[in-house]
Structures are given as structure tokens and as C-alpha cells.
Amino acid sequence: MPTPTTAPQPPAPPIPLTELLASKELGLRRIAGPAEAELLWVHTSEMADPYPYLLGGELLLSAGVLLTDPDHYVARLVEAGAAALGFGVRPVYEAVPEALVQACDRHGLPLLEVPPETPFTTIARAVWRLMAQARHRELRRVTRAQQALATAAARPDPVPAVLHQLATRLGGRAVLLTARGEEVHAAGRRPPPEAVAALTRLARVVAREGPGSPASATDAHGGTHLAAYALGGGEGLVLALATRQRESGDHTVAGIAVVLLSLLAAPHQGADAADRSAALVRLLLGASPEEVAPLLAPTGPWTVIHARRTDGTTPDGLTAGALGASLGSALVDAGRNDDDTVRVLLPPTAGEAPPQEGANEETAEEPPQPSTVPPHPGWTLGVSAPTPLAALASADLRAARALAHAEATRTPLTADTRATGLAALIPPDQAAAHARTLLAPLTPPLADTLRCWLSLHGSWDRTAVALSVHRNTVRQRIGRCAQLLDVDLNDMDVRTELWFALRQE
């Protein structure tokens, strides 16, 4: 059986076997084994030994076509981690074999009798429906917890309030500990002394400083689930939790509390760090980026970087943080994107003065400098041009385009650059007005495709790679662009004018 670190994650929280048995329309009946089990998957197999194809947690459905040795069969299912066995009577067996019933009792595997009028697909659909309902309940619970924690963080006594809400939502005890195990704040019912001592020891594990120190750790003691999370801020503080049960969304709820407490429980911040923490907290509480931008002094220029692993692996928080550290920024979004992109926000470099009020790219005496971000082995980078805070959304989009360009051209880094040369001589408002008029017939997807195609010198294959679409889709979109704009895209003058217009967005 695969280890938990390599097995795929289940699509939803586990389903109690009792919920499935309570569905009267299925007609399932438990005839052997324990009454309690948690189902993660449904799998149908008539193999004599399905062990190699099980992940663990399955409700395995079978009619016993190749059942010859019930005891060996059940032992292998238990070894593979199957949660329960559903045995369909007819057409192979008129009743569940008694030897199979005894084997399931002996090995502790729940055995369900499936009546002949209940197709296996009906059972599978019922399980997926219950999983979807459980997932919806879990998401709603996590959302409500997030709202409650954010509200608590806005109170005059934010740290105790957040701990109280966390203890209430998880049904246990939440403690803020120092690196020496001393309680700073606590909320919730106190567990037995032995569990308290075990929790303190666990907290010391994550409080250790140095390379390789874990950011979190879990344990169990006498039926009590223990967890400890290191808080940021360099104060050595630890959030410790003790609960009677652990649900799938608890780690997410705890993670939200860790972010808030890391920002709130750092009393020795400098003025700049305090302002940035305040900005992040306000964002968590629902403020708009425009409202918090003044707190992120200096005002610019800032650089946005999009990064992706060259080997296609998904970066974890530690890997993303290491990239941010090597770039000189702690503002890293490891992201939960489908494309595994890490985003890094680089603040103005030391000694770099922000632009003067009223100045712009065209009136500045010094020309804009190209990006000084170096390539990083193992990463493909897309880098925006240095940008004022008010234009970070545009810089984020340009960094994403630069990353797509880098991957399509198989280069380690592509940097977006500001307009220079002849293009920089045209007033930006006039250039933008001309671009809007020229490109008005194009939808955003068509404009993005045309921009990418022109940037890659008309390469169909590279554009398809950059946009993650088929090359025929690129051909159809470019043909549609030529039709809507009524131009010949093979004409270099046309391409130049369109490229200039597209660069104004």
C-alpha cells in the first residue's frame, strides 16, 4: 500500500459508514465486522487480490467472482487499508458466504450485504453525494471560523479574542506559549496535566530556531489530539492546540489563526514592520488594497515576480519562502493555484528613492532601469518592470505574461520592460487612447492571444505552450483577430502598430 505521503488526497472529508447504512433506498445491511468506519473512496473489483490497486479507505464492492480463499482475501484487504467490504448477492452467490462473514469478524473489517436490486453504481453515487455534502459543510464551517477569527482580531484585546474563538471553533484549548513553554494567553477547557506536559514538549519542538526546524508538529496523548505551530515575527512564540477530535478543516482554521496571531503578537516591531503588519491585517479584515497602500511605505517602485518550478513539482511553503529570501523579500505568496505559481513582491531596494509626486515614466530625467533580478536554478521567472503601488495589479498581469513567455521560449527568466526609445516619446494618454480605439473589436482572450503571438514572433507552437492551448486554437484566434481588425498580420507595419498598442495595456 502506498504511504500517506505519496497517496493522492481524498476529494472530500471521510464519510462515516453509519451515514451510508442509514440510506434506506440502498438496502445495505452490516452483517459482520465493526460498526464504525470512515470511507474515503468507492472501488469495484472482481480480482482475486485487489491489494495492489487500493489506496486505503475504500469501500470495496465485489460479487465474489474469483473468491476462493475468504480468509486470505479479507486479510489482504485489511493490509491494504480498505475501510469496508460490500458484497453483492447474485448472480454468483445466493447469499454472503459464511466463511467470508467469519473472516471479516476475525480481521475486524465491516462487511455489508448488497441486495440484488441495488447496483454498485448506485452505491458509488450515494457515497459521492454524501462526500459533496460533507465538503460543503466543511467549507461553510471553515468560512464561518475565518469570519469569527477576523472579527476577533479587530477587538481591543485581539490576541485573547482570537484564542477564544479558536478554542470555541475547534472544541478544545488554544494556548500562546513562549519558547520556554510559558503561557502568555490561553482559552478553552484545560486538558489533563499529562496532556498539558506533552503539549508543552511539542511546542518546544517547533520553537527551536535554526535550519530544519519544523513550522508545525502534531501528536496524540490519551485520546487528546495535540498540535503546535510556530508564529512568525522572531519572538519564538508558539500556538498550541489540544482537542478531543480532529476534523479535516481544523488545520485550515488553525492556519488562519497562525497568520493573525503572527501579525498581532509581535510587540517589538519597528515602525515600518508595524505599518506593513497593520496593512496585512486590514486586508485580512476586508479592506481594499487602495486603503492599505499608504501603509506600505515607501510607495514604490515595487516589482512583481511570478515563478514556477522547472521540474513541474508543486512548491511548498518552505521552498517558496526560500525563493523569496534569495530574492530579498519576505512578501511571498506560495499560492494554491492550479498552475503552482509562486508570486513574490519585491519592495524598493535600499537607497532607491520613490518617484516624485507628479512625475511619470516619460518625464523622469533618468530612463527606467531594466530588472536586476537574476535567474534562479530550478525556477522559471517572469518579472514585471518596477511599478508604483497604484499599478501593482497591472504589474501582476505583466509578470504572469512574462512567465508564460519564459516557459514558451525555455528561458530561465523573462523581464517585462517599460517603453523606451521612440515609443517613450509618445504621450501615454494619447498612446492609450489610440490603443483602445484600435483594439476595440477584440475580446480580452483574443487580445491576450495576439499579444503573446506577436511577442513570440508568430510562433504557433510557442504561443500554444505559453497559453496552455492547442496550436489550432491559436491559429483560429489569430485568424479571428485579423478578420475583426481587417488587417494583414503578415505585414510588418501592421504587426508593429498592433504590438505598440498592445503594450499600452
Side-chain angles (χ1 to χ4, degrees):
M1 175 183 172
T3 63
T5 56
T6 58
Q9 293 299 309
I15 302 302
L17 178 60
T18 52
E19 285 193 21
L20 188 64
L21 292 172
S23 180
K24 295 182 179 179
E25 64 269 17
L26 296 178
L28 302 179
R29 185 168 66 95
R30 184 180 62 86
I31 57 177
E36 300 295 331
E38 292 188 335
L39 312 179
L40 295 176
W41 326 87
V42 180
H43 184 61
T44 300
S45 175
E46 296 300 340
M47 298 183 65
D49 181 14
Y51 172 95
Y53 302 96
L54 299 182
L55 299 172
E58 290 91 352
L59 167 62
L60 180 66
L61 302 175
S62 174
V65 174
L66 298 179
L67 181 65
T68 56
D69 186 346
D71 189 78
H72 177 73
Y73 180 77
V74 172
R76 291 286 285 172
L77 295 185
V78 172
E79 185 180 356
L85 172 63
F87 194 87
V89 296
R90 300 185 196 155
V92 181
Y93 289 89
E94 291 296 321
V96 180
E98 182 60 28
L100 184 63
V101 175
Q102 294 176 2
C104 286
D105 272 331
R106 185 162 50 251
H107 292 282
L109 181 69
L111 175 62
L112 313 183
E113 180 186 67
V114 181
E117 63 271 14
T118 302
F120 285 174
T121 54
T122 302
I123 299 174
R125 288 177 180 175
V127 172
W128 298 131
R129 184 178 66 253
L130 290 172
M131 284 185 170
Q133 293 171 354
R135 180 63 175 165
H136 179 71
R137 290 194 301 268
E138 194 62 32
L139 289 175
R140 186 167 53 185
R141 184 177 79 92
V142 170
T143 300
R144 288 175 176 173
Q146 180 178 8
Q147 293 170 347
L149 290 169
T151 301
R155 292 187 52 177
D157 53 345
V159 174
V162 168
L163 290 174
H164 173 74
Q165 277 296 332
L166 184 60
T168 301
R169 296 288 166 174
L170 301 185
R173 185 167 178 84
V175 189
L176 190 64
L177 299 173
T178 67
R180 295 188 298 273
E182 301 166 342
E183 284 192 9
V184 179
H185 295 287
R189 180 175 298 179
R190 190 177 183 86
E194 298 81 5
V196 172
L199 187 61
T200 302
R201 291 193 296 270
L202 190 66
R204 288 172 180 162
V205 172
V206 300
R208 298 170 184 165
E209 297 183 356
S213 298
S216 63
T218 60
D219 198 0
H221 188 280
T224 300
H225 296 282
L226 309 176
Y229 302 85
L231 302 186
E235 299 293 327
L237 296 175
V238 175
L239 171 63
L241 303 173
T243 58
R244 298 298 299 176
Q245 58 184 6
R246 182 176 296 160
E247 300 183 23
S248 57
D250 288 354
H251 183 70
T252 302
V253 174
I256 297 169
V258 167
V259 173
L260 289 172
L261 291 171
S262 295
L263 299 173
L264 295 169
H268 303 300
Q269 302 179 92
D272 292 342
D275 284 343
R276 293 185 185 183
S277 293
L280 293 174
V281 170
R282 291 188 187 184
L283 281 175
L284 285 170
L285 299 181
S288 66
E290 291 77 12
E291 292 178 89
V292 303
L295 295 176
L296 290 172
T299 56
W302 296 68
T303 302
V304 180
I305 298 175
H306 282 219
R308 203 173 292 140
R309 297 289 298 175
T310 55
D311 57 6
T313 59
T314 301
D316 54 21
L318 183 61
T319 305
L323 174 65
S326 64
L327 290 169
S329 175
L331 303 176
V332 179
D333 174 20
R336 295 179 180 176
N337 311 304
D338 294 335
D339 58 359
D340 300 327
T341 302
V342 173
R343 298 190 301 175
V344 182
L345 183 59
L346 292 185
T349 57
E352 182 176 11
Q356 298 295 320
E357 184 176 359
N360 55 39
E361 298 172 11
E362 289 69 31
T363 60
E365 294 183 2
E366 294 295 331
Q369 298 300 314
S371 169
T372 57
V373 175
H376 279 63
W379 294 90
T380 302
L381 305 181
V383 184
S384 78
T387 307
L389 274 174
L392 279 183
S394 175
D396 185 51
L397 178 60
R398 291 176 180 273
R401 292 172 181 168
L403 175 60
H405 187 282
E407 291 188 319
T409 56
R410 298 183 180 179
T411 55
L413 182 148
T414 295
D416 175 70
T417 57
R418 297 171 178 168
T420 57
L422 293 175
L425 300 178
I426 303 176
D429 53 344
Q430 296 181 21
H434 175 73
R436 285 193 298 269
T437 301
L438 179 62
L439 302 174
L442 301 184
T443 62
L446 289 178
D448 286 341
T449 302
L450 181 58
R451 180 188 298 103
C452 185
W453 182 72
L454 290 175
S455 74
L456 294 169
H457 310 289
S459 170
W460 307 109
D461 291 329
R462 288 184 175 181
T463 304
V465 170
L467 298 176
S468 300
V469 297
H470 194 275
R471 69 194 308 271
N472 289 341
T473 301
V474 177
R475 287 183 176 274
Q476 292 170 2
R477 290 181 183 177
I478 296 301
R480 183 61 175 160
C481 289
Q483 181 182 16
L484 290 173
L485 296 173
D486 192 21
V487 295
D488 179 8
L489 291 177
N490 291 319
D491 188 321
M492 181 54 67
D493 289 338
V494 172
R495 290 194 182 194
T496 302
E497 184 176 7
L498 288 173
W499 175 244
F500 173 78
L502 289 163
R503 290 277 292 167
Q504 307 311 308
E505 295 188 343

